[in-house]
Coordinates of all heavy atoms in Angstrom, one line a residue:
M249 N 146.2 81.9 99.0 CA 146.9 81.0 99.9 C 147.7 79.9 99.1 O 147.1 79.4 98.1 CB 145.9 80.2 100.7 CG 146.4 79.2 101.7 SD 147.4 79.8 103.0 CE 146.3 80.7 104.0
F250 N 148.9 79.7 99.4 CA 149.7 78.7 98.8 C 150.0 77.6 99.8 O 150.4 77.9 101.0 CB 151.1 79.3 98.4 CG 152.0 78.3 97.8 CD1 151.9 78.1 96.4 CD2 153.0 77.7 98.5 CE1 152.9 77.2 95.8 CE2 153.9 76.8 97.9 CZ 153.8 76.5 96.6
R251 N 149.7 76.3 99.4 CA 150.0 75.2 100.3 C 150.8 74.1 99.6 O 150.5 73.8 98.5 CB 148.7 74.6 100.8 CG 147.8 75.5 101.6 CD 146.6 74.9 102.3 NE 145.8 74.2 101.4 CZ 145.0 73.2 101.7 NH1 144.9 72.9 103.0 NH2 144.2 72.6 100.9
L252 N 151.8 73.6 100.3 CA 152.7 72.6 99.8 C 152.7 71.4 100.8 O 152.8 71.6 102.0 CB 154.2 73.1 99.7 CG 155.2 72.2 99.0 CD1 154.9 72.2 97.5 CD2 156.6 72.7 99.2
W253 N 152.5 70.2 100.3 CA 152.3 69.0 101.1 C 153.7 68.3 101.0 O 154.1 67.9 99.9 CB 151.2 68.2 100.5 CG 150.8 67.0 101.3 CD1 151.1 66.7 102.6 CD2 149.9 66.0 100.9 NE1 150.5 65.5 102.9 CE2 149.8 65.1 101.9 CE3 149.2 65.7 99.7 CZ2 149.0 63.9 101.9 CZ3 148.4 64.6 99.6 CH2 148.3 63.8 100.7
G254 N 154.3 68.0 102.1 CA 155.5 67.2 102.1 C 155.2 65.9 102.8 O 154.6 65.8 103.8
K255 N 155.8 64.8 102.1 CA 155.5 63.4 102.6 C 156.8 62.6 102.5 O 157.5 62.7 101.5 CB 154.5 62.8 101.7 CG 153.2 63.5 101.6 CD 152.2 62.9 100.6 CE 152.5 63.6 99.3 NZ 151.5 63.3 98.2
E256 N 157.1 61.9 103.6 CA 158.2 60.9 103.6 C 157.6 59.5 103.4 O 156.6 59.2 104.0 CB 158.9 60.9 104.9 CG 159.8 62.0 105.1 CD 160.6 61.9 106.4 OE1 160.6 60.8 107.1 OE2 161.3 62.8 106.8
F257 N 158.2 58.7 102.5 CA 157.7 57.4 102.2 C 158.8 56.3 102.5 O 160.0 56.6 102.2 CB 157.3 57.2 100.8 CG 156.0 57.8 100.4 CD1 155.9 59.2 100.1 CD2 154.8 57.1 100.5 CE1 154.7 59.7 99.7 CE2 153.6 57.7 100.2 CZ 153.5 59.0 99.8
Q258 N 158.5 55.2 103.1 CA 159.4 54.1 103.3 C 158.6 52.8 102.9 O 157.5 52.6 103.4 CB 159.7 54.0 104.8 CG 160.6 52.8 105.1 CD 162.0 53.0 104.6 OE1 162.6 54.1 104.6 NE2 162.6 51.9 104.1
N259 N 159.1 52.1 102.0 CA 158.5 50.8 101.5 C 157.1 51.1 101.0 O 156.1 50.3 101.3 CB 158.5 49.7 102.5 CG 159.9 49.3 103.0 OD1 160.8 49.3 102.2 ND2 160.1 49.1 104.2
N260 N 156.9 52.2 100.2 CA 155.6 52.5 99.7 C 154.5 52.9 100.7 O 153.4 52.8 100.4 CB 155.1 51.5 98.7 CG 155.9 51.5 97.4 OD1 156.4 52.5 97.0 ND2 156.1 50.3 96.9
H261 N 155.0 53.2 101.9 CA 154.1 53.6 103.0 C 154.4 55.0 103.5 O 155.6 55.3 103.6 CB 154.1 52.7 104.2 CG 153.7 51.3 103.9 ND1 152.3 50.9 103.9 CD2 154.4 50.1 103.7 CE1 152.2 49.6 103.6 NE2 153.4 49.1 103.5
L262 N 153.4 55.8 103.6 CA 153.5 57.2 104.1 C 153.9 57.1 105.6 O 153.2 56.5 106.4 CB 152.2 57.9 104.0 CG 152.2 59.3 104.5 CD1 153.1 60.2 103.7 CD2 150.8 59.9 104.5
I263 N 155.1 57.6 106.0 CA 155.5 57.6 107.4 C 155.4 58.9 108.1 O 155.2 59.0 109.3 CB 156.9 57.0 107.5 CG1 157.9 57.8 106.7 CG2 156.9 55.5 107.2 CD1 159.4 57.3 106.9
K264 N 155.4 60.0 107.3 CA 155.3 61.4 107.9 C 154.7 62.3 106.8 O 155.0 62.1 105.6 CB 156.7 62.0 108.3 CG 157.2 61.6 109.5 CD 158.5 62.4 109.8 CE 159.4 61.8 110.8 NZ 160.6 62.5 111.0
D265 N 153.9 63.2 107.2 CA 153.5 64.3 106.3 C 153.2 65.6 107.0 O 153.0 65.6 108.2 CB 152.3 63.8 105.5 CG 151.0 63.8 106.2 OD1 151.0 63.4 107.4 OD2 150.0 64.1 105.6
I266 N 153.3 66.6 106.2 CA 153.0 68.0 106.8 C 152.5 68.8 105.6 O 153.0 68.7 104.5 CB 154.3 68.6 107.4 CG1 154.0 69.9 108.2 CG2 155.4 68.8 106.5 CD1 155.1 70.4 109.0
V267 N 151.7 69.8 105.9 CA 151.3 70.8 104.9 C 151.8 72.2 105.4 O 151.5 72.5 106.6 CB 149.7 70.8 104.8 CG1 149.3 71.9 103.9 CG2 149.2 69.5 104.3
I268 N 152.4 72.9 104.5 CA 153.0 74.2 104.8 C 152.1 75.2 104.1 O 151.9 75.1 102.9 CB 154.5 74.3 104.4 CG1 155.3 73.3 105.1 CG2 155.0 75.7 104.7 CD1 155.4 73.4 106.6
C269 N 151.6 76.2 104.8 CA 150.7 77.2 104.2 C 151.5 78.5 104.2 O 152.2 78.9 105.1 CB 149.5 77.4 105.0 SG 148.5 75.9 105.2
S270 N 151.3 79.2 103.1 CA 152.0 80.5 102.9 C 151.0 81.5 102.3 O 150.4 81.3 101.3 CB 153.2 80.4 102.0 OG 153.7 81.7 101.7
G271 N 150.7 82.6 103.0 CA 149.9 83.7 102.5 C 150.6 84.9 102.1 O 150.1 85.9 101.8
D272 N 151.9 84.7 101.9 CA 152.8 85.8 101.6 C 152.6 86.2 100.1 O 153.1 85.4 99.2 CB 154.3 85.5 101.9 CG 155.2 86.7 101.7 OD1 154.8 87.7 101.3 OD2 156.4 86.5 102.1
T273 N 152.0 87.3 99.8 CA 151.7 87.6 98.4 C 152.9 88.3 97.7 O 152.9 88.5 96.5 CB 150.5 88.5 98.2 OG1 150.7 89.7 99.1 CG2 149.2 87.8 98.7
E274 N 153.9 88.6 98.5 CA 155.1 89.3 97.9 C 156.0 88.3 97.2 O 156.8 88.7 96.3 CB 155.9 90.0 99.1 CG 155.1 91.1 99.8 CD 154.8 92.2 98.9 OE1 155.7 92.7 98.1 OE2 153.7 92.7 98.9
L275 N 156.0 87.0 97.5 CA 156.9 86.1 96.9 C 156.3 85.5 95.6 O 155.1 85.3 95.6 CB 157.2 84.9 97.9 CG 157.9 85.3 99.2 CD1 158.0 84.1 100.1 CD2 159.2 85.9 99.0
N276 N 157.1 85.2 94.7 CA 156.6 84.5 93.5 C 156.5 83.0 93.8 O 156.9 82.5 94.9 CB 157.5 84.7 92.3 CG 158.9 84.2 92.4 OD1 159.2 83.4 93.3 ND2 159.9 84.8 91.7
R277 N 156.0 82.2 92.9 CA 155.8 80.8 93.1 C 157.0 80.0 93.5 O 157.1 79.2 94.4 CB 155.1 80.2 91.9 CG 154.8 78.7 92.1 CD 154.1 78.1 90.8 NE 153.5 76.8 91.1 CZ 154.0 75.7 90.6 NH1 155.1 75.7 89.9 NH2 153.4 74.5 90.9
T278 N 158.1 80.3 92.7 CA 159.4 79.6 93.0 C 159.9 79.8 94.4 O 160.3 78.9 95.1 CB 160.4 80.0 92.0 OG1 160.0 79.8 90.7 CG2 161.8 79.3 92.2
R279 N 159.8 81.1 94.8 CA 160.3 81.4 96.2 C 159.4 80.7 97.3 O 159.9 80.4 98.3 CB 160.4 82.9 96.4 CG 161.5 83.5 95.5 CD 161.7 84.9 95.9 NE 162.6 85.6 94.9 CZ 163.9 85.5 94.9 NH1 164.5 84.8 95.8 NH2 164.6 86.2 94.0
K280 N 158.1 80.7 97.0 CA 157.2 80.0 97.9 C 157.5 78.5 98.1 O 157.5 78.0 99.1 CB 155.7 80.2 97.5 CG 155.2 81.6 97.6 CD 153.8 81.7 97.2 CE 153.3 83.2 97.2 NZ 152.0 83.3 96.6
V281 N 157.8 77.9 96.9 CA 158.2 76.5 96.9 C 159.5 76.3 97.8 O 159.5 75.4 98.6 CB 158.3 75.9 95.5 CG1 158.9 74.5 95.5 CG2 157.0 75.9 94.8
F282 N 160.5 77.1 97.5 CA 161.7 76.9 98.2 C 161.6 77.2 99.7 O 162.1 76.4 100.5 CB 162.8 77.9 97.6 CG 163.3 77.5 96.3 CD1 164.0 78.4 95.5 CD2 163.2 76.2 95.8 CE1 164.5 78.1 94.2 CE2 163.7 75.8 94.5 CZ 164.3 76.8 93.7
K283 N 160.9 78.2 100.0 CA 160.7 78.5 101.4 C 159.9 77.4 102.1 O 160.2 77.0 103.2 CB 159.9 79.8 101.6 CG 159.7 80.3 103.0 CD 159.0 81.6 103.1 CE 158.8 82.0 104.5 NZ 157.8 83.0 104.7
S284 N 158.8 76.9 101.5 CA 158.0 75.8 102.1 C 158.8 74.6 102.2 O 158.7 73.9 103.2 CB 156.7 75.6 101.2 OG 155.9 76.8 101.2
L285 N 159.6 74.3 101.2 CA 160.5 73.1 101.3 C 161.4 73.2 102.4 O 161.7 72.2 103.2 CB 161.3 72.9 100.0 CG 162.2 71.7 99.9 CD1 161.5 70.4 100.2 CD2 162.9 71.6 98.6
E286 N 162.0 74.3 102.7 CA 162.9 74.5 103.8 C 162.2 74.3 105.1 O 162.7 73.7 106.1 CB 163.5 75.9 103.8 CG 164.5 76.2 102.8 CD 165.0 77.6 102.7 OE1 164.7 78.4 103.6 OE2 165.8 77.9 101.8
E287 N 160.9 74.8 105.2 CA 160.1 74.5 106.4 C 159.8 73.1 106.6 O 159.8 72.6 107.8 CB 158.8 75.4 106.4 CG 159.1 76.9 106.5 CD 157.8 77.7 106.4 OE1 156.7 77.2 107.0 OE2 157.8 78.7 105.9
I288 N 159.5 72.4 105.5 CA 159.3 70.9 105.6 C 160.5 70.2 106.1 O 160.4 69.4 107.0 CB 158.8 70.4 104.2 CG1 157.4 70.8 103.9 CG2 158.9 68.8 104.2 CD1 157.0 70.6 102.4
C289 N 161.7 70.5 105.6 CA 162.9 69.9 106.0 C 163.2 70.2 107.4 O 163.7 69.3 108.2 CB 164.0 70.3 105.1 SG 163.9 69.6 103.4
M290 N 162.9 71.4 107.9 CA 163.2 71.8 109.3 C 162.2 70.9 110.2 O 162.7 70.4 111.2 CB 162.9 73.3 109.5 CG 163.3 73.7 110.9 SD 163.0 75.5 111.1 CE 164.1 76.1 110.0
A291 N 161.0 70.8 109.8 CA 160.0 70.0 110.6 C 160.4 68.5 110.7 O 160.2 67.9 111.7 CB 158.6 70.1 110.0
F292 N 161.0 68.0 109.6 CA 161.4 66.6 109.5 C 162.8 66.3 109.9 O 163.3 65.3 109.9 CB 161.2 66.0 108.1 CG 159.8 65.9 107.6 CD1 159.5 65.7 106.3 CD2 158.7 65.9 108.5 CE1 158.2 65.5 105.9 CE2 157.4 65.8 108.1 CZ 157.1 65.5 106.8
D293 N 163.5 67.4 110.3 CA 164.9 67.4 110.7 C 165.8 66.8 109.6 O 166.6 65.8 109.8 CB 165.1 66.6 112.0 CG 166.5 66.7 112.6 OD1 167.1 67.8 112.4 OD2 167.0 65.8 113.3
L294 N 165.7 67.4 108.4 CA 166.4 67.0 107.2 C 167.3 68.1 106.7 O 166.9 69.3 106.9 CB 165.5 66.6 106.1 CG 164.6 65.3 106.3 CD1 163.6 65.2 105.2 CD2 165.4 64.1 106.4
S295 N 168.3 67.8 105.9 CA 169.0 68.9 105.1 C 168.1 69.1 103.9 O 167.3 68.3 103.5 CB 170.4 68.4 104.7 OG 170.3 67.3 103.9
V296 N 168.2 70.3 103.4 CA 167.4 70.7 102.2 C 168.0 69.9 101.0 O 169.2 70.0 100.8 CB 167.4 72.2 102.0 CG1 166.6 72.6 100.7 CG2 166.9 72.9 103.2
P297 N 167.2 69.2 100.2 CA 167.6 68.4 99.1 C 168.1 69.3 97.9 O 167.7 70.5 97.8 CB 166.4 67.6 98.7 CG 165.3 68.3 99.2 CD 165.7 69.1 100.4
I298 N 168.9 68.7 97.1 CA 169.4 69.4 95.9 C 168.3 69.1 94.7 O 167.8 68.0 94.6 CB 170.7 68.8 95.5 CG1 171.7 69.1 96.6 CG2 171.2 69.4 94.1 CD1 173.0 68.3 96.4
W299 N 168.1 70.2 94.0 CA 167.1 70.0 92.9 C 167.9 69.5 91.6 O 168.7 70.3 91.0 CB 166.5 71.4 92.5 CG 165.5 71.8 93.5 CD1 165.7 72.4 94.8 CD2 164.0 71.6 93.4 NE1 164.5 72.6 95.4 CE2 163.5 72.2 94.6 CE3 163.2 71.1 92.5 CZ2 162.1 72.2 94.8 CZ3 161.8 71.1 92.7 CH2 161.3 71.7 93.9
L300 N 167.8 68.3 91.3 CA 168.4 67.8 90.1 C 167.6 68.1 88.9 O 166.4 68.5 89.0 CB 168.5 66.2 90.1 CG 169.3 65.7 91.4 CD1 169.3 64.2 91.3 CD2 170.7 66.2 91.3
D301 N 168.1 68.1 87.7 CA 167.4 68.5 86.5 C 166.1 67.7 86.3 O 165.1 68.2 85.9 CB 168.3 68.3 85.2 CG 169.4 69.3 85.1 OD1 169.3 70.3 85.8 OD2 170.4 69.0 84.4
A302 N 166.2 66.4 86.6 CA 165.0 65.5 86.5 C 163.9 66.0 87.5 O 162.7 65.9 87.2 CB 165.3 64.1 86.7
T303 N 164.3 66.3 88.7 CA 163.4 66.8 89.7 C 162.7 68.1 89.3 O 161.5 68.2 89.5 CB 164.1 67.0 91.1 OG1 165.0 65.9 91.3 CG2 163.2 67.2 92.2
V304 N 163.5 69.0 88.8 CA 162.9 70.3 88.3 C 161.9 70.1 87.2 O 160.8 70.6 87.3 CB 164.1 71.2 87.8 CG1 163.5 72.5 87.2 CG2 165.0 71.6 89.0
E305 N 162.3 69.2 86.3 CA 161.3 68.9 85.1 C 160.0 68.3 85.6 O 158.9 68.7 85.2 CB 162.0 68.0 84.1 CG 161.3 67.8 82.9 CD 161.0 69.1 82.1 OE1 161.8 70.1 82.2 OE2 160.1 69.1 81.2
E306 N 160.2 67.3 86.5 CA 159.0 66.6 87.1 C 158.1 67.7 87.8 O 156.9 67.6 87.7 CB 159.5 65.5 88.0 CG 158.3 64.7 88.7 CD 158.8 63.7 89.7 OE1 160.1 63.6 89.9 OE2 158.0 63.0 90.2
F307 N 158.7 68.5 88.6 CA 157.9 69.5 89.3 C 157.3 70.5 88.4 O 156.1 70.9 88.6 CB 158.8 70.2 90.4 CG 158.0 71.1 91.3 CD1 157.4 70.5 92.4 CD2 157.9 72.4 91.1 CE1 156.6 71.2 93.3 CE2 157.1 73.2 92.0 CZ 156.5 72.6 93.1
R308 N 158.0 70.9 87.4 CA 157.5 71.9 86.4 C 156.2 71.3 85.7 O 155.2 72.0 85.5 CB 158.5 72.2 85.4 CG 158.1 73.4 84.5 CD 159.2 73.6 83.4 NE 159.3 72.5 82.5 CZ 158.5 72.2 81.5 NH1 157.4 72.9 81.3 NH2 158.7 71.2 80.7
I309 N 156.2 70.1 85.4 CA 155.1 69.5 84.7 C 153.9 69.1 85.6 O 152.8 69.4 85.2 CB 155.6 68.2 83.9 CG1 156.6 68.5 82.8 CG2 154.4 67.4 83.3 CD1 157.3 67.4 82.2
H310 N 154.2 68.5 86.7 CA 153.2 67.9 87.6 C 152.9 68.7 88.9 O 152.0 68.3 89.6 CB 153.5 66.5 87.9 CG 153.7 65.6 86.8 ND1 152.7 65.2 86.0 CD2 154.9 65.1 86.3 CE1 153.3 64.4 85.0 NE2 154.6 64.3 85.2
S311 N 153.7 69.7 89.2 CA 153.6 70.4 90.5 C 153.8 69.4 91.6 O 153.2 69.6 92.7 CB 152.3 71.2 90.6 OG 152.2 72.2 89.7
K312 N 154.6 68.4 91.4 CA 154.9 67.3 92.3 C 156.2 66.7 92.0 O 156.5 66.6 90.8 CB 153.7 66.3 92.2 CG 153.8 65.1 93.1 CD 152.6 64.2 92.8 CE 152.7 62.9 93.6 NZ 151.5 62.1 93.4
C313 N 157.0 66.3 93.0 CA 158.3 65.7 92.6 C 158.7 64.9 93.9 O 158.3 65.1 95.0 CB 159.3 66.6 92.2 SG 159.9 67.8 93.5
R314 N 159.7 64.0 93.6 CA 160.3 63.1 94.6 C 161.8 63.4 94.8 O 162.5 63.5 93.7 CB 160.1 61.7 94.3 CG 158.6 61.3 94.4 CD 158.5 59.8 94.0 NE 157.1 59.4 94.2 CZ 156.7 58.2 94.0 NH1 157.5 57.3 93.5 NH2 155.4 57.9 94.2
F315 N 162.2 63.5 96.0 CA 163.7 63.7 96.3 C 164.1 62.3 96.9 O 163.7 62.0 98.0 CB 163.9 64.8 97.2 CG 163.5 66.1 96.8 CD1 162.3 66.7 97.1 CD2 164.3 66.8 95.9 CE1 161.9 68.0 96.7 CE2 164.0 68.1 95.4 CZ 162.8 68.7 95.8
T316 N 165.0 61.6 96.1 CA 165.5 60.4 96.6 C 166.9 60.6 97.3 O 167.3 61.7 97.4 CB 165.7 59.4 95.4 OG1 166.6 60.0 94.5 CG2 164.3 59.1 94.8
Q317 N 167.6 59.5 97.6 CA 168.9 59.7 98.3 C 169.9 60.5 97.4 O 170.7 61.2 98.0 CB 169.4 58.3 98.6 CG 170.8 58.3 99.2 CD 170.9 58.9 100.6 OE1 170.2 58.4 101.5 NE2 171.6 60.0 100.8
D318 N 169.7 60.4 96.1 CA 170.6 61.2 95.2 C 170.6 62.7 95.4 O 171.5 63.4 95.2 CB 170.3 60.8 93.8 CG 170.6 59.4 93.4 OD1 171.4 58.7 94.2 OD2 170.1 58.9 92.4
C319 N 169.4 63.1 96.0 CA 169.2 64.6 96.1 C 169.7 65.1 97.5 O 169.8 66.3 97.7 CB 167.8 64.9 96.0 SG 167.1 64.5 94.4
F320 N 170.1 64.2 98.4 CA 170.5 64.6 99.7 C 172.0 64.3 99.9 O 172.5 63.3 99.5 CB 169.7 63.7 100.8 CG 168.3 64.1 100.9 CD1 167.3 63.4 100.2 CD2 167.8 65.1 101.7 CE1 166.0 63.7 100.3 CE2 166.5 65.5 101.9 CZ 165.6 64.8 101.1
I321 N 172.6 65.2 100.6 CA 174.0 65.0 101.0 C 174.2 64.0 102.0 O 175.1 63.1 102.0 CB 174.7 66.4 101.3 CG1 174.7 67.3 100.1 CG2 176.1 66.2 101.9 CD1 175.1 68.7 100.4
E322 N 173.3 64.1 103.1 CA 173.4 63.1 104.2 C 172.6 61.9 103.9 O 171.7 61.9 103.0 CB 172.8 63.8 105.4 CG 173.6 65.1 105.9 CD 172.8 65.8 106.9 OE1 171.7 65.5 107.3 OE2 173.4 66.8 107.5
H323 N 172.8 60.8 104.6 CA 172.0 59.6 104.5 C 170.6 59.9 105.0 O 170.4 60.5 106.0 CB 172.6 58.4 105.2 CG 171.9 57.2 105.1 ND1 171.7 56.4 104.0 CD2 171.1 56.6 106.1 CE1 170.9 55.4 104.3 NE2 170.5 55.5 105.5
I324 N 169.6 59.4 104.3 CA 168.2 59.4 104.7 C 167.7 58.1 105.2 O 168.1 57.1 104.6 CB 167.3 60.1 103.7 CG1 167.4 59.3 102.4 CG2 167.7 61.5 103.5 CD1 166.3 59.8 101.3
N325 N 166.8 58.1 106.2 CA 166.2 56.8 106.7 C 164.9 56.4 106.1 O 164.1 55.8 106.7 CB 166.1 56.9 108.2 CG 167.5 57.0 108.8 OD1 168.5 56.5 108.4 ND2 167.5 57.8 109.9
F326 N 164.6 56.9 104.9 CA 163.4 56.6 104.2 C 163.7 56.5 102.7 O 164.8 56.8 102.3 CB 162.3 57.7 104.5 CG 162.8 59.1 104.2 CD1 162.7 59.7 103.0 CD2 163.4 59.8 105.3 CE1 163.1 61.0 102.8 CE2 163.9 61.1 105.0 CZ 163.8 61.7 103.8
D327 N 162.7 56.1 101.9 CA 163.0 55.9 100.4 C 163.0 57.3 99.7 O 163.9 57.5 98.8 CB 162.0 55.0 99.8 CG 162.1 53.6 100.4 OD1 163.2 53.2 100.8 OD2 161.1 52.9 100.4
F328 N 162.0 58.1 99.9 CA 162.0 59.4 99.2 C 161.1 60.4 100.0 O 160.2 60.1 100.7 CB 161.5 59.2 97.8 CG 160.2 58.6 97.6 CD1 159.0 59.5 97.6 CD2 160.0 57.3 97.4 CE1 157.8 58.9 97.4 CE2 158.8 56.7 97.3 CZ 157.6 57.5 97.2
L329 N 161.4 61.7 99.7 CA 160.6 62.8 100.2 C 159.8 63.3 99.0 O 160.4 63.6 97.9 CB 161.5 63.9 100.8 CG 160.8 65.2 101.1 CD1 159.8 65.0 102.2 CD2 161.8 66.3 101.4
E330 N 158.5 63.4 99.1 CA 157.7 63.9 98.0 C 157.1 65.2 98.4 O 156.6 65.4 99.5 CB 156.6 62.9 97.7 CG 155.7 63.2 96.5 CD 154.7 62.2 96.1 OE1 155.1 61.2 95.5 OE2 153.6 62.3 96.6
I331 N 157.1 66.2 97.5 CA 156.4 67.4 97.7 C 155.3 67.6 96.6 O 155.6 67.2 95.5 CB 157.3 68.6 97.8 CG1 158.1 68.9 96.5 CG2 158.2 68.5 99.0 CD1 158.9 70.2 96.4
Q332 N 154.3 68.3 97.0 CA 153.2 68.5 96.0 C 152.5 69.8 96.3 O 152.1 70.0 97.5 CB 152.2 67.3 96.0 CG 151.0 67.4 95.1 CD 150.0 66.2 95.2 OE1 150.3 65.3 96.0 NE2 149.0 66.3 94.5
V333 N 152.3 70.6 95.3 CA 151.5 71.8 95.5 C 150.0 71.4 95.5 O 149.5 70.8 94.6 CB 151.7 72.8 94.4 CG1 150.8 74.0 94.5 CG2 153.2 73.3 94.3
I334 N 149.3 71.8 96.6 CA 147.9 71.4 96.7 C 147.0 72.6 96.6 O 145.8 72.4 96.4 CB 147.6 70.6 97.9 CG1 148.0 71.3 99.2 CG2 148.2 69.2 97.9 CD1 147.7 70.6 100.5
E335 N 147.5 73.8 96.7 CA 146.7 75.0 96.5 C 147.6 76.2 96.1 O 148.7 76.3 96.7 CB 145.9 75.3 97.7 CG 145.0 76.6 97.6 CD 144.3 76.9 98.9 OE1 144.3 76.1 99.8 OE2 143.6 77.9 98.9
E336 N 147.2 76.9 95.1 CA 148.0 78.1 94.7 C 147.0 79.3 94.8 O 145.8 79.2 94.6 CB 148.5 77.9 93.3 CG 149.6 76.9 93.2 CD 150.3 76.9 91.9 OE1 151.0 78.0 91.7 OE2 150.3 75.9 91.2
D337 N 147.7 80.5 94.9 CA 147.0 81.8 94.9 C 146.1 81.9 93.7 O 146.5 81.6 92.6 CB 147.9 82.9 95.1 CG 148.8 82.8 96.3 OD1 148.3 82.5 97.4 OD2 150.0 82.9 96.1

């Protein structure tokens, strides 16, 4: 089971969160992350953020990263979206 936790923060307060579970063993870790991020964005009614080099590096090291306004094409009404892998196959 693969689980990704998505959280929206405003003024250092958690305003929304969701956990996306994936039991698809056919996908590799990267594809599971991308698919889960798309599901999080759909649930939060957001466009899918752009992965900047710093975001990729942070996620690679910590299995957690933050998407700020710089990662979104549209304006966001919160400070950042954070994703974190909480369980892997």
Side-chain angles (χ1 to χ4, degrees):
M249 178 67 68
F250 178 84
R251 295 190 309 156
L252 189 72
W253 188 13
K255 303 171 270 189
E256 281 185 11
F257 285 89
Q258 178 71 39
N259 298 324
N260 291 324
H261 293 282
L262 178 67
I263 56 174
K264 279 188 199 175
D265 72 323
I266 189 171
V267 175
I268 302 296
C269 301
S270 174
D272 191 353
T273 57
E274 297 295 316
L275 299 177
N276 64 20
R277 183 179 192 254
T278 303
R279 293 190 191 278
K280 287 178 187 177
V281 169
F282 288 160
K283 183 179 177 197
S284 298
L285 179 59
E286 287 176 9
E287 291 181 35
I288 289 168
C289 290
M290 186 179 297
F292 290 167
D293 194 28
L294 297 171
S295 61
V296 178
I298 299 167
W299 287 80
L300 302 175
D301 291 340
T303 313
V304 172
E305 186 65 18
E306 180 183 2
F307 190 79
R308 188 184 66 76
I309 293 170
H310 303 289
S311 294
K312 177 180 178 178
C313 66
R314 292 179 176 180
F315 296 99
T316 59
Q317 179 64 62
D318 294 341
C319 300
F320 290 92
I321 294 172
E322 300 170 351
H323 176 72
I324 57 174
N325 295 324
F326 51 91
D327 294 334
F328 60 88
L329 171 68
E330 180 176 280
I331 61 170
Q332 178 179 1
V333 175
I334 55 176
E335 183 180 349
E336 292 195 58
D337 303 312

